[in-house]
Every structure is written in structure tokens, then in C-alpha cells.
Amino acid sequence: MTPYSPYKGKNGIKRILNATGYSLAGFKAAFNHEAAFRQIILLNLILIPASFFIHVSALEQALMVAVCLLAIIVELFNSAIEAVVDRISLEKHELSKNAKDMGSAAQFVSLAIIFFTWIIILFR
């Protein structure tokens, strides 16, 4: 038995193309199956363009955009955790609940980061 995944054998351009395909499939799955992901995308479609119409420095604008994108990353991880937990078992279990609750807590923190970053920049 080899300690390496047979899916890791690609190199160069082929690996990049495969990784891009997997990423796009992940975005599609999240968008199609996760309401929270769609809500975060909607929030980003409002906040990111709005950041271009607010008189702030380039660094502040970059920070405003970055924290919005961070919430997408956190939601993707949260959705992945939920999918893995559900794949293992739909049976109620304290560890499964903890994993899902911690993913939710991470998303809550990322939304708080958006809120406080925007408030601090806008009302400094």
C-alpha cells in the first residue's frame, strides 16, 4: 500500500488545469447546495462594488475587499466540514454537532471582522 494518493501524480500544466476544474466544481456545489454561501456571495456583490465609491485610501479599500473575500473562504470551509460530517453519518452525535457549530462560529467571526473593519474605516 502506497502512502501517497494516486490523485496527486499530476505535474505542471495538467495539475493546474485539474486544480482549476476542482475549484470551479467546489464553487458550483457550494452555490447550488448552500444557502449561506449564496448569502455571502450576495453580501460581497453589494459590499465590494460599494467599496469603490467610498472615499478611502487604497489600503483601506483593499482591506475592505479582503475581509469580504475572507468570509467566502470561511463559508467554503464551513460547508466542506458540514458535507464531510454528513457523509460520515446523519446520526446525531455530539462530535458532529461540535464540528458543525465550530464551523458556524468561524463564519460568525468572519462576519464580525467585516462589520468592525467597515465600521472602523467608515467612521474613523
Side-chain angles (χ1 to χ4, degrees):
M1 181 167 167
T2 178
Y4 303 104
S5 169
Y7 302 108
K8 296 288 185 180
K10 308 285 190 279
N11 290 315
I13 264 312
K14 180 69 172 165
R15 189 197 67 77
I16 293 169
L17 292 174
N18 286 348
T20 300
Y22 302 145
S23 297
L24 293 174
F27 280 120
K28 182 179 177 184
F31 193 84
N32 288 338
H33 303 290
E34 298 293 335
F37 182 77
R38 291 189 298 274
Q39 291 168 345
I40 295 296
I41 294 297
L42 178 61
L43 181 65
N44 276 265
L45 288 173
I46 295 166
L47 291 180
I48 291 174
S51 74
F52 288 92
F53 296 101
I54 301 169
H55 184 68
V56 294
S57 71
L59 182 60
E60 289 170 325
Q61 182 181 11
L63 186 59
M64 293 167 89
V65 170
V67 297
C68 289
L69 296 175
L70 174 66
I72 293 174
I73 294 168
V74 172
E75 184 54 39
L76 287 167
F77 281 130
N78 183 35
S79 296
I81 290 167
E82 289 180 357
V84 169
V85 168
D86 290 346
R87 165 64 174 91
I88 293 169
S89 174
L90 294 175
E91 171 186 322
K92 289 188 183 268
H93 190 281
E94 188 64 26
L95 292 176
S96 298
K97 180 183 181 332
N98 288 348
K100 289 183 171 191
D101 289 350
M102 287 181 224
S104 179
Q107 185 56 275
F108 181 83
V109 171
S110 76
L111 292 172
I113 291 169
I114 291 173
F115 177 78
F116 288 114
T117 300
W118 278 66
I119 292 298
I120 289 167
I121 291 172
L122 293 176
F123 297 104
R124 61 181 150 79

mmCIF file of all heavy atoms in Angstrom, residues 8-48:
data_model
loop_
_atom_site.group_PDB
_atom_site.id
_atom_site.type_symbol
_atom_site.label_atom_id
_atom_site.label_comp_id
_atom_site.label_asym_id
_atom_site.label_seq_id
_atom_site.Cartn_x
_atom_site.Cartn_y
_atom_site.Cartn_z
ATOM 1 N N LYS A 8 -2.574 12.501 -6.774
ATOM 2 C CA LYS A 8 -1.567 13.552 -6.632
ATOM 3 C C LYS A 8 -0.445 13.425 -7.653
ATOM 4 O O LYS A 8 0.545 14.105 -7.570
ATOM 5 C CB LYS A 8 -0.959 13.518 -5.213
ATOM 6 C CG LYS A 8 -1.940 13.822 -4.120
ATOM 7 C CD LYS A 8 -2.294 15.267 -4.132
ATOM 8 C CE LYS A 8 -3.184 15.587 -2.948
ATOM 9 N NZ LYS A 8 -3.549 16.972 -2.907
ATOM 10 N N GLY A 9 -0.573 12.554 -8.646
ATOM 11 C CA GLY A 9 0.508 12.278 -9.572
ATOM 12 C C GLY A 9 0.662 13.265 -10.707
ATOM 13 O O GLY A 9 1.583 13.150 -11.496
ATOM 14 N N LYS A 10 -0.205 14.230 -10.816
ATOM 15 C CA LYS A 10 -0.135 15.166 -11.934
ATOM 16 C C LYS A 10 0.898 16.261 -11.645
ATOM 17 O O LYS A 10 1.077 16.682 -10.519
ATOM 18 C CB LYS A 10 -1.496 15.813 -12.162
ATOM 19 C CG LYS A 10 -2.642 14.822 -12.307
ATOM 20 C CD LYS A 10 -2.628 14.149 -13.655
ATOM 21 C CE LYS A 10 -3.860 13.341 -13.928
ATOM 22 N NZ LYS A 10 -3.924 12.040 -13.368
ATOM 23 N N ASN A 11 1.538 16.723 -12.703
ATOM 24 C CA ASN A 11 2.520 17.809 -12.579
ATOM 25 C C ASN A 11 2.248 18.871 -13.632
ATOM 26 O O ASN A 11 1.552 18.634 -14.606
ATOM 27 C CB ASN A 11 3.949 17.270 -12.782
ATOM 28 C CG ASN A 11 4.401 16.398 -11.640
ATOM 29 O OD1 ASN A 11 4.203 16.747 -10.485
ATOM 30 N ND2 ASN A 11 4.991 15.259 -11.967
ATOM 31 N N GLY A 12 2.835 20.031 -13.396
ATOM 32 C CA GLY A 12 2.817 21.089 -14.391
ATOM 33 C C GLY A 12 1.439 21.601 -14.733
ATOM 34 O O GLY A 12 0.572 21.748 -13.874
ATOM 35 N N ILE A 13 1.260 21.888 -16.009
ATOM 36 C CA ILE A 13 0.019 22.491 -16.511
ATOM 37 C C ILE A 13 -1.176 21.586 -16.255
ATOM 38 O O ILE A 13 -2.264 22.050 -15.925
ATOM 39 C CB ILE A 13 0.187 22.803 -18.018
ATOM 40 C CG1 ILE A 13 0.600 24.241 -18.294
ATOM 41 C CG2 ILE A 13 -1.012 22.479 -18.837
ATOM 42 C CD1 ILE A 13 -0.096 25.347 -17.644
ATOM 43 N N LYS A 14 -0.995 20.272 -16.398
ATOM 44 C CA LYS A 14 -2.097 19.326 -16.177
ATOM 45 C C LYS A 14 -2.613 19.442 -14.735
ATOM 46 O O LYS A 14 -3.818 19.426 -14.502
ATOM 47 C CB LYS A 14 -1.612 17.893 -16.467
ATOM 48 C CG LYS A 14 -2.665 16.839 -16.274
ATOM 49 C CD LYS A 14 -3.752 16.932 -17.332
ATOM 50 C CE LYS A 14 -4.672 15.738 -17.207
ATOM 51 N NZ LYS A 14 -5.906 15.914 -17.935
ATOM 52 N N ARG A 15 -1.717 19.564 -13.780
ATOM 53 C CA ARG A 15 -2.119 19.709 -12.385
ATOM 54 C C ARG A 15 -2.880 21.006 -12.174
ATOM 55 O O ARG A 15 -3.900 21.037 -11.496
ATOM 56 C CB ARG A 15 -0.897 19.677 -11.452
ATOM 57 C CG ARG A 15 -1.290 19.614 -9.978
ATOM 58 C CD ARG A 15 -0.154 19.995 -9.054
ATOM 59 N NE ARG A 15 0.214 21.391 -9.165
ATOM 60 C CZ ARG A 15 -0.477 22.398 -8.637
ATOM 61 N NH1 ARG A 15 -1.590 22.190 -7.987
ATOM 62 N NH2 ARG A 15 -0.062 23.633 -8.761
ATOM 63 N N ILE A 16 -2.418 22.081 -12.781
ATOM 64 C CA ILE A 16 -3.083 23.379 -12.651
ATOM 65 C C ILE A 16 -4.482 23.327 -13.265
ATOM 66 O O ILE A 16 -5.445 23.829 -12.679
ATOM 67 C CB ILE A 16 -2.224 24.498 -13.291
ATOM 68 C CG1 ILE A 16 -0.945 24.689 -12.475
ATOM 69 C CG2 ILE A 16 -3.007 25.800 -13.389
ATOM 70 C CD1 ILE A 16 0.090 25.571 -13.142
ATOM 71 N N LEU A 17 -4.597 22.707 -14.428
ATOM 72 C CA LEU A 17 -5.909 22.586 -15.073
ATOM 73 C C LEU A 17 -6.853 21.729 -14.229
ATOM 74 O O LEU A 17 -8.028 22.079 -14.058
ATOM 75 C CB LEU A 17 -5.771 22.010 -16.477
ATOM 76 C CG LEU A 17 -5.075 22.908 -17.501
ATOM 77 C CD1 LEU A 17 -4.863 22.167 -18.814
ATOM 78 C CD2 LEU A 17 -5.867 24.186 -17.714
ATOM 79 N N ASN A 18 -6.353 20.623 -13.698
ATOM 80 C CA ASN A 18 -7.181 19.781 -12.831
ATOM 81 C C ASN A 18 -7.620 20.545 -11.586
ATOM 82 O O ASN A 18 -8.788 20.498 -11.201
ATOM 83 C CB ASN A 18 -6.436 18.513 -12.417
ATOM 84 C CG ASN A 18 -6.329 17.507 -13.539
ATOM 85 O OD1 ASN A 18 -6.988 17.622 -14.563
ATOM 86 N ND2 ASN A 18 -5.484 16.512 -13.353
ATOM 87 N N ALA A 19 -6.690 21.247 -10.958
ATOM 88 C CA ALA A 19 -6.997 22.002 -9.739
ATOM 89 C C ALA A 19 -8.036 23.082 -10.021
ATOM 90 O O ALA A 19 -8.944 23.311 -9.219
ATOM 91 C CB ALA A 19 -5.725 22.620 -9.165
ATOM 92 N N THR A 20 -7.922 23.726 -11.176
ATOM 93 C CA THR A 20 -8.902 24.747 -11.553
ATOM 94 C C THR A 20 -10.285 24.129 -11.715
ATOM 95 O O THR A 20 -11.282 24.676 -11.239
ATOM 96 C CB THR A 20 -8.478 25.454 -12.852
ATOM 97 O OG1 THR A 20 -7.199 26.071 -12.643
ATOM 98 C CG2 THR A 20 -9.485 26.501 -13.279
ATOM 99 N N GLY A 21 -10.340 22.973 -12.351
ATOM 100 C CA GLY A 21 -11.611 22.279 -12.519
ATOM 101 C C GLY A 21 -12.223 21.890 -11.180
ATOM 102 O O GLY A 21 -13.432 22.048 -10.963
ATOM 103 N N TYR A 22 -11.396 21.395 -10.252
ATOM 104 C CA TYR A 22 -11.896 21.026 -8.927
ATOM 105 C C TYR A 22 -12.403 22.257 -8.184
ATOM 106 O O TYR A 22 -13.439 22.204 -7.502
ATOM 107 C CB TYR A 22 -10.806 20.351 -8.093
ATOM 108 C CG TYR A 22 -10.223 19.097 -8.717
ATOM 109 C CD1 TYR A 22 -8.880 18.794 -8.558
ATOM 110 C CD2 TYR A 22 -11.001 18.218 -9.468
ATOM 111 C CE1 TYR A 22 -8.324 17.660 -9.112
ATOM 112 C CE2 TYR A 22 -10.452 17.080 -10.036
ATOM 113 C CZ TYR A 22 -9.112 16.799 -9.849
ATOM 114 O OH TYR A 22 -8.575 15.675 -10.404
ATOM 115 N N SER A 23 -11.699 23.358 -8.318
ATOM 116 C CA SER A 23 -12.110 24.602 -7.651
ATOM 117 C C SER A 23 -13.446 25.096 -8.189
ATOM 118 O O SER A 23 -14.332 25.479 -7.414
ATOM 119 C CB SER A 23 -11.048 25.687 -7.839
ATOM 120 O OG SER A 23 -9.838 25.305 -7.229
ATOM 121 N N LEU A 24 -13.591 25.096 -9.491
ATOM 122 C CA LEU A 24 -14.850 25.530 -10.093
ATOM 123 C C LEU A 24 -16.004 24.607 -9.687
ATOM 124 O O LEU A 24 -17.117 25.076 -9.414
ATOM 125 C CB LEU A 24 -14.723 25.609 -11.614
ATOM 126 C CG LEU A 24 -13.769 26.693 -12.136
ATOM 127 C CD1 LEU A 24 -13.610 26.591 -13.648
ATOM 128 C CD2 LEU A 24 -14.233 28.076 -11.725
ATOM 129 N N ALA A 25 -15.728 23.304 -9.608
ATOM 130 C CA ALA A 25 -16.750 22.363 -9.160
ATOM 131 C C ALA A 25 -17.138 22.644 -7.705
ATOM 132 O O ALA A 25 -18.312 22.532 -7.334
ATOM 133 C CB ALA A 25 -16.254 20.922 -9.313
ATOM 134 N N GLY A 26 -16.154 23.016 -6.896
ATOM 135 C CA GLY A 26 -16.429 23.357 -5.496
ATOM 136 C C GLY A 26 -17.291 24.600 -5.377
ATOM 137 O O GLY A 26 -18.238 24.635 -4.575
ATOM 138 N N PHE A 27 -16.980 25.620 -6.170
ATOM 139 C CA PHE A 27 -17.813 26.828 -6.177
ATOM 140 C C PHE A 27 -19.243 26.499 -6.602
ATOM 141 O O PHE A 27 -20.215 26.962 -6.002
ATOM 142 C CB PHE A 27 -17.250 27.895 -7.119
ATOM 143 C CG PHE A 27 -16.119 28.696 -6.549
ATOM 144 C CD1 PHE A 27 -14.883 28.696 -7.164
ATOM 145 C CD2 PHE A 27 -16.283 29.462 -5.405
ATOM 146 C CE1 PHE A 27 -13.833 29.437 -6.654
ATOM 147 C CE2 PHE A 27 -15.245 30.211 -4.881
ATOM 148 C CZ PHE A 27 -14.014 30.195 -5.506
ATOM 149 N N LYS A 28 -19.359 25.679 -7.649
ATOM 150 C CA LYS A 28 -20.682 25.314 -8.160
ATOM 151 C C LYS A 28 -21.471 24.538 -7.106
ATOM 152 O O LYS A 28 -22.655 24.817 -6.880
ATOM 153 C CB LYS A 28 -20.534 24.491 -9.442
ATOM 154 C CG LYS A 28 -21.854 24.106 -10.069
ATOM 155 C CD LYS A 28 -21.647 23.303 -11.348
ATOM 156 C CE LYS A 28 -22.989 22.873 -11.925
ATOM 157 N NZ LYS A 28 -22.822 22.023 -13.099
ATOM 158 N N ALA A 29 -20.831 23.575 -6.462
ATOM 159 C CA ALA A 29 -21.511 22.780 -5.431
ATOM 160 C C ALA A 29 -21.953 23.668 -4.274
ATOM 161 O O ALA A 29 -23.082 23.546 -3.780
ATOM 162 C CB ALA A 29 -20.584 21.668 -4.929
ATOM 163 N N ALA A 30 -21.074 24.567 -3.837
ATOM 164 C CA ALA A 30 -21.426 25.469 -2.729
ATOM 165 C C ALA A 30 -22.596 26.362 -3.128
ATOM 166 O O ALA A 30 -23.537 26.550 -2.354
ATOM 167 C CB ALA A 30 -20.217 26.305 -2.318
ATOM 168 N N PHE A 31 -22.546 26.910 -4.325
ATOM 169 C CA PHE A 31 -23.610 27.809 -4.764
ATOM 170 C C PHE A 31 -24.935 27.068 -4.910
ATOM 171 O O PHE A 31 -25.985 27.571 -4.515
ATOM 172 C CB PHE A 31 -23.228 28.493 -6.083
ATOM 173 C CG PHE A 31 -24.131 29.639 -6.425
ATOM 174 C CD1 PHE A 31 -23.898 30.901 -5.897
ATOM 175 C CD2 PHE A 31 -25.219 29.454 -7.253
ATOM 176 C CE1 PHE A 31 -24.747 31.966 -6.192
ATOM 177 C CE2 PHE A 31 -26.069 30.517 -7.556
ATOM 178 C CZ PHE A 31 -25.831 31.772 -7.026
ATOM 179 N N ASN A 32 -24.894 25.857 -5.461
ATOM 180 C CA ASN A 32 -26.124 25.103 -5.702
ATOM 181 C C ASN A 32 -26.738 24.514 -4.440
ATOM 182 O O ASN A 32 -27.958 24.337 -4.381
ATOM 183 C CB ASN A 32 -25.877 23.976 -6.701
ATOM 184 C CG ASN A 32 -25.680 24.489 -8.112
ATOM 185 O OD1 ASN A 32 -26.109 25.592 -8.447
ATOM 186 N ND2 ASN A 32 -25.012 23.710 -8.935
ATOM 187 N N HIS A 33 -25.920 24.202 -3.436
ATOM 188 C CA HIS A 33 -26.413 23.443 -2.292
ATOM 189 C C HIS A 33 -26.349 24.173 -0.954
ATOM 190 O O HIS A 33 -26.847 23.638 0.039
ATOM 191 C CB HIS A 33 -25.654 22.117 -2.176
ATOM 192 C CG HIS A 33 -25.741 21.284 -3.408
ATOM 193 N ND1 HIS A 33 -26.905 20.669 -3.812
ATOM 194 C CD2 HIS A 33 -24.815 20.976 -4.349
ATOM 195 C CE1 HIS A 33 -26.688 20.016 -4.944
ATOM 196 N NE2 HIS A 33 -25.428 20.193 -5.297
ATOM 197 N N GLU A 34 -25.746 25.352 -0.905
ATOM 198 C CA GLU A 34 -25.562 26.038 0.373
ATOM 199 C C GLU A 34 -26.155 27.447 0.329
ATOM 200 O O GLU A 34 -25.596 28.353 -0.296
ATOM 201 C CB GLU A 34 -24.068 26.128 0.736
ATOM 202 C CG GLU A 34 -23.396 24.782 0.914
ATOM 203 C CD GLU A 34 -23.894 24.017 2.124
ATOM 204 O OE1 GLU A 34 -24.385 24.646 3.095
ATOM 205 O OE2 GLU A 34 -23.800 22.780 2.111
ATOM 206 N N ALA A 35 -27.281 27.624 1.013
ATOM 207 C CA ALA A 35 -27.928 28.942 1.054
ATOM 208 C C ALA A 35 -27.017 29.980 1.692
ATOM 209 O O ALA A 35 -26.962 31.127 1.239
ATOM 210 C CB ALA A 35 -29.250 28.855 1.816
ATOM 211 N N ALA A 36 -26.271 29.590 2.716
ATOM 212 C CA ALA A 36 -25.376 30.536 3.388
ATOM 213 C C ALA A 36 -24.298 31.038 2.424
ATOM 214 O O ALA A 36 -23.922 32.214 2.467
ATOM 215 C CB ALA A 36 -24.733 29.885 4.610
ATOM 216 N N PHE A 37 -23.811 30.162 1.555
ATOM 217 C CA PHE A 37 -22.809 30.579 0.570
ATOM 218 C C PHE A 37 -23.409 31.606 -0.385
ATOM 219 O O PHE A 37 -22.781 32.622 -0.685
ATOM 220 C CB PHE A 37 -22.284 29.362 -0.207
ATOM 221 C CG PHE A 37 -21.215 29.711 -1.202
ATOM 222 C CD1 PHE A 37 -19.917 29.962 -0.786
ATOM 223 C CD2 PHE A 37 -21.506 29.794 -2.556
ATOM 224 C CE1 PHE A 37 -18.923 30.294 -1.699
ATOM 225 C CE2 PHE A 37 -20.526 30.118 -3.477
ATOM 226 C CZ PHE A 37 -19.234 30.369 -3.054
ATOM 227 N N ARG A 38 -24.635 31.353 -0.844
ATOM 228 C CA ARG A 38 -25.290 32.313 -1.737
ATOM 229 C C ARG A 38 -25.494 33.661 -1.039
ATOM 230 O O ARG A 38 -25.341 34.720 -1.658
ATOM 231 C CB ARG A 38 -26.623 31.751 -2.240
ATOM 232 C CG ARG A 38 -26.452 30.576 -3.193
ATOM 233 C CD ARG A 38 -27.749 30.170 -3.850
ATOM 234 N NE ARG A 38 -28.770 29.712 -2.919
ATOM 235 C CZ ARG A 38 -28.889 28.465 -2.481
ATOM 236 N NH1 ARG A 38 -28.042 27.532 -2.887
ATOM 237 N NH2 ARG A 38 -29.862 28.143 -1.645
ATOM 238 N N GLN A 39 -25.809 33.633 0.250
ATOM 239 C CA GLN A 39 -25.989 34.879 1.004
ATOM 240 C C GLN A 39 -24.676 35.639 1.128
ATOM 241 O O GLN A 39 -24.651 36.868 0.995
ATOM 242 C CB GLN A 39 -26.573 34.577 2.388
ATOM 243 C CG GLN A 39 -28.000 34.089 2.321
ATOM 244 C CD GLN A 39 -28.496 33.514 3.628
ATOM 245 O OE1 GLN A 39 -27.727 33.218 4.528
ATOM 246 N NE2 GLN A 39 -29.813 33.345 3.728
ATOM 247 N N ILE A 40 -23.581 34.926 1.368
ATOM 248 C CA ILE A 40 -22.261 35.573 1.453
ATOM 249 C C ILE A 40 -21.879 36.159 0.097
ATOM 250 O O ILE A 40 -21.328 37.262 0.017
ATOM 251 C CB ILE A 40 -21.185 34.576 1.941
ATOM 252 C CG1 ILE A 40 -21.472 34.143 3.378
ATOM 253 C CG2 ILE A 40 -19.786 35.159 1.825
ATOM 254 C CD1 ILE A 40 -21.393 35.240 4.407
ATOM 255 N N ILE A 41 -22.180 35.453 -0.983
ATOM 256 C CA ILE A 41 -21.905 35.978 -2.329
ATOM 257 C C ILE A 41 -22.712 37.259 -2.555
ATOM 258 O O ILE A 41 -22.177 38.261 -3.065
ATOM 259 C CB ILE A 41 -22.206 34.920 -3.414
ATOM 260 C CG1 ILE A 41 -21.242 33.737 -3.310
ATOM 261 C CG2 ILE A 41 -22.186 35.531 -4.807
ATOM 262 C CD1 ILE A 41 -19.785 34.085 -3.534
ATOM 263 N N LEU A 42 -23.979 37.251 -2.189
ATOM 264 C CA LEU A 42 -24.816 38.444 -2.340
ATOM 265 C C LEU A 42 -24.240 39.612 -1.537
ATOM 266 O O LEU A 42 -24.147 40.739 -2.042
ATOM 267 C CB LEU A 42 -26.256 38.153 -1.909
ATOM 268 C CG LEU A 42 -27.227 39.333 -1.973
ATOM 269 C CD1 LEU A 42 -27.343 39.864 -3.398
ATOM 270 C CD2 LEU A 42 -28.595 38.922 -1.434
ATOM 271 N N LEU A 43 -23.853 39.345 -0.306
ATOM 272 C CA LEU A 43 -23.233 40.387 0.525
ATOM 273 C C LEU A 43 -21.994 40.958 -0.167
ATOM 274 O O LEU A 43 -21.789 42.176 -0.201
ATOM 275 C CB LEU A 43 -22.869 39.814 1.896
ATOM 276 C CG LEU A 43 -22.232 40.781 2.888
ATOM 277 C CD1 LEU A 43 -23.218 41.882 3.282
ATOM 278 C CD2 LEU A 43 -21.759 40.023 4.124
ATOM 279 N N ASN A 44 -21.180 40.076 -0.746
ATOM 280 C CA ASN A 44 -19.976 40.525 -1.453
ATOM 281 C C ASN A 44 -20.315 41.318 -2.711
ATOM 282 O O ASN A 44 -19.606 42.262 -3.051
ATOM 283 C CB ASN A 44 -19.085 39.331 -1.797
ATOM 284 C CG ASN A 44 -18.195 38.928 -0.657
ATOM 285 O OD1 ASN A 44 -17.058 39.351 -0.583
ATOM 286 N ND2 ASN A 44 -18.716 38.123 0.248
ATOM 287 N N LEU A 45 -21.387 40.928 -3.396
ATOM 288 C CA LEU A 45 -21.793 41.659 -4.600
ATOM 289 C C LEU A 45 -22.280 43.069 -4.274
ATOM 290 O O LEU A 45 -22.298 43.941 -5.145
ATOM 291 C CB LEU A 45 -22.885 40.889 -5.347
ATOM 292 C CG LEU A 45 -22.417 39.625 -6.067
ATOM 293 C CD1 LEU A 45 -23.616 38.854 -6.627
ATOM 294 C CD2 LEU A 45 -21.427 39.960 -7.172
ATOM 295 N N ILE A 46 -22.648 43.287 -3.035
ATOM 296 C CA ILE A 46 -23.053 44.626 -2.587
ATOM 297 C C ILE A 46 -21.853 45.394 -2.035
ATOM 298 O O ILE A 46 -21.585 46.527 -2.443
ATOM 299 C CB ILE A 46 -24.171 44.532 -1.521
ATOM 300 C CG1 ILE A 46 -25.433 43.947 -2.150
ATOM 301 C CG2 ILE A 46 -24.442 45.892 -0.887
ATOM 302 C CD1 ILE A 46 -26.479 43.505 -1.146
ATOM 303 N N LEU A 47 -21.125 44.770 -1.104
ATOM 304 C CA LEU A 47 -20.065 45.491 -0.394
ATOM 305 C C LEU A 47 -18.837 45.789 -1.248
ATOM 306 O O LEU A 47 -18.287 46.893 -1.167
ATOM 307 C CB LEU A 47 -19.643 44.707 0.853
ATOM 308 C CG LEU A 47 -20.663 44.636 1.980
ATOM 309 C CD1 LEU A 47 -20.107 43.823 3.142
ATOM 310 C CD2 LEU A 47 -21.076 46.022 2.437
ATOM 311 N N ILE A 48 -18.394 44.826 -2.048
ATOM 312 C CA ILE A 48 -17.165 45.057 -2.816
ATOM 313 C C ILE A 48 -17.340 46.205 -3.815
ATOM 314 O O ILE A 48 -16.515 47.133 -3.825
ATOM 315 C CB ILE A 48 -16.652 43.760 -3.467
ATOM 316 C CG1 ILE A 48 -16.152 42.816 -2.361
ATOM 317 C CG2 ILE A 48 -15.545 44.054 -4.477
ATOM 318 C CD1 ILE A 48 -15.745 41.435 -2.831
#
